[in-house]
């Protein structure tokens, strides 16, 4: 604690790791950027294109309308909630059993996760998180005094979380299992059968299954991401399933902070108490501008998804020898670098300082304590230092090729001795 403070800080915030992204940007600031060799930022999952002009205009008009300066509902505008239901039925199948009453809107998907956890768990409870994990999820739990129980995912499994290993972690303190698919950071796309198995596991142990599907619109469209919303007498989804979504990626709106929770109305009644304290209401102009346009924006969302999937293929084909993809999908590719004896953070730092290519090391998405890593052993810890996360979504095709050229010219061995 800083000696300049005349008061103490909460144990929750003191026990929570600082966000790692600023550290990466400190590395990037040391790169000598030129007009011919600009920094290539493949670190954060940020949309590489703006939203369509019609959406920008609609949000602007809604922002200027005097009646939209007032508070809205804590669970969001009914028009957008209903529009989201229609879009979900287009994605998960017209038979999907989803109603407007199942939807609450939030100021971003991070808030959606935080609100769900606050409604579910108390300090000292446990939530199972596969790792490498989305670090904000672990940070949220830490702030609340809820223990993140790490479920290791392995390269040999394509970074898919094992049902058997997960079940072994369930205790009387377990308040939820939380998945992200397509995964952040690994990019692994969990097949519908795996998600169904996790739903069965949650039902068996009477714990909720939280699935963050922020990147759901970037999976191949051949089949729905899963079938949990399909009506079923034996597995009614509202009993144990909690779905999270972000409008940021699909509609290229990260700065407007808009997310969603889809769950049973009975559970949402408790969530709304949390939301009324945290947000009062989600931002209104973006909701009102987006709601009537969602059907017409379906082509934009699908085209953007196709472009990013094509960019994944381009990245995979152009990646130089020795660099190996372990998983990719959504916004991200998880790549094993070819150098031994160099830790992931050091390698990522050298890569941006020498070549101007910014990616994030796997260690940014891992437990930091021996207790958290003890179940997987020293071999896993050593192997985790060989992986980097690249975001292919926030760069164009030409930049992907340039990034791979820089990887090909990079020599970590000589750089490490500078």
């Amino acid at each position: 604690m800083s000696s300049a403070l005349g008061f103490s800080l909460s144990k929750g915030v003191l026990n929570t790791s600082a966000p790692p992204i600023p550290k990466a940007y400190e590395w990037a600031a040391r790169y000598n950027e030129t007009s011919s060799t600009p920094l290539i930022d493949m670190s954060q999952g940020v949309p590489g294109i703006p939203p369509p002009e019609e959406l920008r205009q609609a949000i602007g008009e809604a922002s200027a309308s005097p009646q939209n300066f007032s508070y809205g509902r804590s669970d969001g505008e009914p028009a957008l909630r209903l529009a989201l239901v229609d879009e979900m039925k287009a994605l998960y199948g017209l038979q999907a059993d989803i109603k407007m009453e199942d939807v609450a809107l939030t100021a971003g998907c991070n808030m959606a996760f935080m609100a769900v956890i606050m409604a579910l768990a108390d300090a000292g409870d446990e939530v199972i998180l596969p790792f490498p994990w989305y670090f904000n999820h672990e940070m949220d739990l830490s702030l609340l005094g809820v223990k993140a129980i790490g479920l290791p995912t392995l390269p040999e499994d394509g970074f898919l979380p094992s049902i058997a290993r997960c079940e072994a972690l369930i205790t009387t303190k377990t308040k939820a299992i939380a998945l992200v698919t397509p995964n952040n950071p690994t990019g692994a796309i969990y097949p519908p059968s795996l998600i169904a198995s996790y739903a069965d596991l949650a039902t068996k142990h009477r714990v909720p299954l939280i699935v963050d599907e922020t990147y759901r619109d970037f999976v191949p469209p051949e089949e729905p991401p899963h079938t949990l919303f399909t009506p079923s007498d034996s597995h009614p989804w509202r009993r144990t399933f909690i779905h999270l979504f972000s409008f940021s990626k699909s509609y290229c709106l990260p700065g407007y902070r808009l997310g969603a929770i889809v769950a049973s109305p009975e559970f949402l009644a408790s969530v709304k108490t949390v939301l009324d304290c945290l947000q009062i209401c989600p931002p209104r102009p973006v909701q009102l501008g987006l709601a009537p346009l969602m059907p017409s924006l379906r082509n934009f969302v699908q085209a953007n998804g196709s472009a990013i999937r094509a960019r994944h293929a381009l990245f995979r084909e152009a990646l130089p020898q020795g660099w190996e993809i372990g998983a990719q999908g959504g916004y991200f590719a998880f790549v094993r670098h070819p150098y031994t004896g160099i830790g992931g953070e050091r390698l990522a730092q050298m890569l941006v300082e020498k070549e101007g290519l910014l990616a994030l090391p796997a260690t940014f998405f891992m437990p930091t304590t021996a207790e958290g890593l003890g179940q997987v052993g020293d071999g896993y810890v050593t192997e985790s230092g060989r992986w980097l996360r690249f975001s292919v979504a926030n760069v164009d095709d030409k930049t992907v090729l340039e990034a791979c050229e820089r990887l090909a010219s990079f020599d970590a061995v000589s750089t490490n001795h500078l």
Side-chain angles (χ1 to χ4, degrees):
M1 183 180 73
S2 170
S3 59
L5 293 179
F7 52 85
S8 62
L9 300 175
S10 78
K11 292 180 181 178
V13 76
L14 291 174
N15 291 333
T16 300
S17 301
I21 297 293
K23 180 189 291 188
Y25 282 118
E26 288 177 9
W27 302 336
R30 302 183 194 127
Y31 174 62
N32 294 319
E33 189 172 11
T34 70
S35 58
S36 59
T37 56
L39 175 73
I40 298 177
D41 185 355
M42 299 181 72
S43 61
Q44 284 188 283
V46 180
I49 59 174
E53 174 61 31
E54 60 180 321
L55 179 53
R56 285 179 275 168
Q57 183 176 343
I59 294 173
E61 292 174 355
S63 298
S65 178
Q67 66 263 31
N68 296 338
F69 286 86
S70 62
Y71 290 126
R73 291 174 57 109
S74 65
D75 58 357
E77 300 293 327
L80 184 57
R81 292 161 61 207
L82 185 58
L84 179 60
V85 167
D86 291 340
E87 288 306 301
M88 292 181 70
K89 288 186 176 182
L91 181 65
Y92 295 97
L94 295 178
Q95 78 284 354
D97 177 23
I98 310 168
K99 300 179 176 64
M100 186 179 73
E101 293 75 19
D102 300 319
V103 178
L105 303 178
T106 60
C109 197
N110 277 350
M111 182 175 287
F113 182 81
M114 176 67 92
V116 164
I117 296 301
M118 290 179 72
L120 286 173
D122 296 305
D125 288 334
E126 299 175 350
V127 172
I128 297 174
L129 291 184
F131 69 85
W133 51 39
Y134 175 46
F135 50 75
N136 277 129
H137 284 176
E138 189 276 334
M139 291 169 65
D140 287 347
L141 297 177
S142 179
L143 281 169
L144 296 171
V146 177
K147 187 175 182 180
I149 303 299
L151 168 61
T153 63
L154 309 178
E156 56 265 35
D157 298 331
F159 293 100
L160 299 177
S162 161
I163 288 285
R165 284 194 293 270
C166 181
E167 186 164 24
L169 298 175
I170 296 174
T171 71
T172 57
K173 292 183 178 181
T174 303
K175 287 303 181 81
I177 301 166
L179 308 179
V180 182
T181 177
N183 188 257
N184 180 4
T186 68
I189 299 173
Y190 299 176
S193 59
L194 180 63
I195 299 173
S197 294
Y198 268 95
D200 290 341
L201 181 67
T203 299
K204 175 182 176 182
H205 290 275
R206 299 179 63 84
V207 298
L209 173 65
I210 304 168
V211 182
D212 181 334
E213 295 187 69
T214 290
Y215 303 95
R216 72 183 186 204
D217 288 309
F218 303 95
V219 300
E222 287 77 22
E223 60 179 350
H226 57 74
T227 58
L228 299 192
F229 291 116
T230 301
S232 170
D233 292 334
S234 59
H235 291 84
W237 72 266
R238 291 178 183 85
R239 292 188 64 187
T240 53
F241 181 45
I242 301 169
H243 164 92
L244 306 183
F245 176 65
S246 170
F247 295 84
S248 297
K249 308 306 191 285
S250 298
Y251 298 94
C252 303
L253 294 166
Y256 281 95
R257 311 311 302 135
L258 189 59
I261 304 167
V262 181
S264 72
E266 290 79 10
F267 176 64
L268 289 182
S270 296
V271 170
K272 290 174 191 177
T273 299
V274 176
L275 294 178
D276 193 67
C277 295
L278 292 180
Q279 69 179 15
I280 304 298
C281 65
R284 296 193 69 204
V286 63
Q287 297 180 70
L288 295 167
L290 177 59
L293 295 178
M294 285 185 72
S296 64
L297 292 175
R298 194 171 299 158
N299 288 339
F300 168 81
V301 172
Q302 293 173 349
N304 190 26
S306 296
I308 290 176
R309 289 193 296 274
R311 198 166 302 130
H312 271 297
L314 182 66
F315 181 69
R316 184 170 59 248
E317 294 165 3
L319 203 63
Q321 186 175 4
W323 295 76
E324 303 174 4
I325 291 178
Q328 63 182 145
Y331 268 28
F332 306 112
F334 217 52
V335 182
R336 188 177 190 267
H337 68 73
Y339 304 101
T340 59
I342 301 177
E345 288 195 30
R346 176 60 181 154
L347 193 284
Q349 182 179 352
M350 289 189 294
L351 184 60
V352 67
E353 291 180 359
K354 178 73 163 47
E355 298 292 342
L357 177 56
L358 182 60
L360 300 184
T363 49
F364 278 10
F365 309 93
M366 304 282 288
T368 57
T369 65
E371 179 186 7
L373 288 165
Q375 60 187 301
V376 290
D378 293 339
Y380 186 93
V381 177
T382 301
E383 174 68 12
S384 70
R386 299 287 300 276
W387 295 89
L388 301 176
R389 188 193 78 172
F390 291 83
S391 174
V392 305
N394 56 344
V395 293
D396 57 22
D397 292 354
K398 180 181 178 182
T399 306
V400 163
L401 295 176
E402 171 63 23
C404 291
E405 290 176 5
R406 295 190 191 187
L407 288 177
S409 64
F410 177 63
D411 184 351
V413 176
S414 62
T415 302
N416 200 33
H417 290 83
L418 292 179

